[in-house]
Amino acid sequence: MTGESGFQLKQGGPHVYELCWVRAQMGRCAEELVAAAGVSPGDWVLDVACGTGVVARTAATRSGTAANVTGTDVNSAMLEAAARFAAEAGLADITWLECDAAAMPLPDAAFDVVLCQQGLQFMPDKAGAMAEMARVMKPDGRLALSVWKTRAPIGAAFATVLDRHFGAGTTAPWELIYSLGDRNYLHDLAKGAGLRQAHIALDVKFARHPEPEAFITGAIAGSPIAETMADLPEAEHTRLIKEIVAELADFHDDDGLASPAQCLTLTARK
C-alpha cells in the first residue's frame, strides 16, 4: 500500500514496526512502563528485548543522559534500526548490544533500572532471562516488565479473516504474543529470580490510529504472513484488509481505530 499513510507492504520489519505499532500503541506503552519504573535523572537503565528502541529512547529522555542507557536484543536488524531512530531523535549515545537475554555480557549490579516491554513471552528461557535481569540490577534496583494478558481484538480479527482465507492455523504462530498472561507464573518468575516487592497491575492499552486500513496493512507487513500477503493480487489484498477492519468495527471512535489489549505490568525490586 502506498499513499499518504506511508506504508509499503514489502518494507522491512523494523521500519514497519516503528511506523505502525510504535505510533499506534507501543510509544505510549513505553512512556507508561518507564514511569512505572520511576526512571529518574542520572539513572543507569537497561532495556531488554529493546526492538526498535522506543523504551530505551523514552528512558534516555526521562533520565536526561542517553549515555546511561543500554538496549539489548537478539535481532541485529532491530538493533540497527534502533540505533538509527535514536540518532534521529538526538539520542545517539545510547548503547546497543546484540545478545540473548538469558546470557547478557554485562557486569553485575550495573543498572538502577531494568525494563522489558512485551519481550519476555518470546524468550525460550524465561527463568534464565529474569535471573539475568536481576543479576545486572544494583541493590534496590527497579524492574518494570510488561506482557499481554490475552488475545486482543486485533489478534482475533487477524485470526478470523486470515485463517478463513489461508487455512486454519495460519495465525497460530502469533499466539506466542499472549502466552505469558498468567499472573501467578509471573510472580513465580520474579520470586525465582530473587526479586522482592513484586507487584502486578492489570490495565488496558489501546492501539489508536486515524487510518485503520493503513494500520492493519502495516501490522501485516511486519508479521510472519507478510510475504504471503505481498504475493496476492492487489484486489485480493485490499479485500482482506477491509475484512479485517470490518471485524474491528466495534473498536473505533471518532478518531479512528481504538482497539484495547489487556496488559500485565510487573514491577519489582532487587
Side-chain angles (χ1 to χ4, degrees):
M1 179 173 178
T2 59
E4 293 182 357
S5 70
F7 288 97
Q8 301 281 346
L9 187 61
K10 293 189 178 181
Q11 283 176 332
H15 184 66
V16 168
Y17 182 84
E18 189 75 14
L19 280 175
C20 179
W21 287 107
V22 170
R23 174 186 178 185
Q25 185 175 53
M26 304 310 288
R28 289 191 303 277
C29 290
E31 293 173 1
E32 292 167 359
L33 189 70
V34 168
V39 173
S40 302
D43 277 343
W44 287 85
V45 182
L46 176 65
D47 176 15
V48 179
C50 65
T52 59
V54 62
V55 170
R57 297 195 305 271
T58 303
T61 299
R62 189 178 179 102
S63 72
T65 310
N68 286 11
V69 178
T70 297
T72 71
D73 204 284
V74 295
N75 188 311
S76 60
M78 284 288 189
L79 289 172
E80 290 171 6
R84 184 172 68 254
F85 294 138
E88 291 171 355
L91 301 168
D93 290 339
I94 297 174
T95 298
W96 306 102
L97 178 63
E98 183 179 351
C99 66
D100 187 331
M104 295 187 286
L106 294 167
D108 295 350
F111 297 94
D112 299 289
V113 178
V114 175
L115 304 164
C116 182
Q117 176 165 273
Q118 303 301 338
L120 186 62
Q121 60 264 52
F122 300 104
M123 299 175 190
D125 184 2
K126 296 173 180 58
M130 285 287 285
E132 277 289 87
M133 292 183 211
R135 178 185 67 78
V136 302
M137 291 165 60
K138 295 178 181 179
D140 205 37
R142 291 103 68 197
L143 169 74
L145 178 153
S146 62
V147 295
W148 298 123
K149 186 179 188 300
T150 58
R151 179 196 273 180
I154 290 175
F158 283 171
T160 297
V161 174
L162 299 180
D163 285 7
R164 181 172 63 215
H165 183 85
F166 295 105
T170 296
T171 58
W174 295 344
E175 294 303 305
L176 193 61
I177 296 171
Y178 319 109
S179 65
L180 199 54
D182 185 325
R183 182 166 57 92
N184 292 329
Y185 183 38
L186 280 177
H187 271 297
D188 288 345
L189 287 171
K191 182 178 180 180
L195 297 172
R196 59 188 178 85
Q197 297 181 22
H199 178 269
I200 296 172
L202 169 64
D203 69 352
V204 175
K205 312 292 189 185
F206 275 84
R208 295 185 179 276
H209 200 286
E211 300 178 76
E213 290 186 18
F215 174 80
I216 296 301
T217 299
I220 288 178
S223 78
I225 202 171
E227 290 303 315
T228 301
M229 286 288 289
D231 290 337
L232 291 175
E234 183 176 355
E236 185 70 1
H237 171 262
T238 299
R239 182 180 68 79
L240 290 179
I241 296 297
K242 289 183 179 298
E243 285 186 16
I244 294 170
V245 171
E247 288 288 331
L248 291 165
D250 289 338
F251 303 102
H252 286 69
D253 60 18
D254 289 349
D255 296 317
L257 182 72
S259 181
Q262 292 185 334
C263 177
L264 297 177
T265 298
L266 166 69
T267 54
R269 286 186 177 268
K270 184 170 180 179

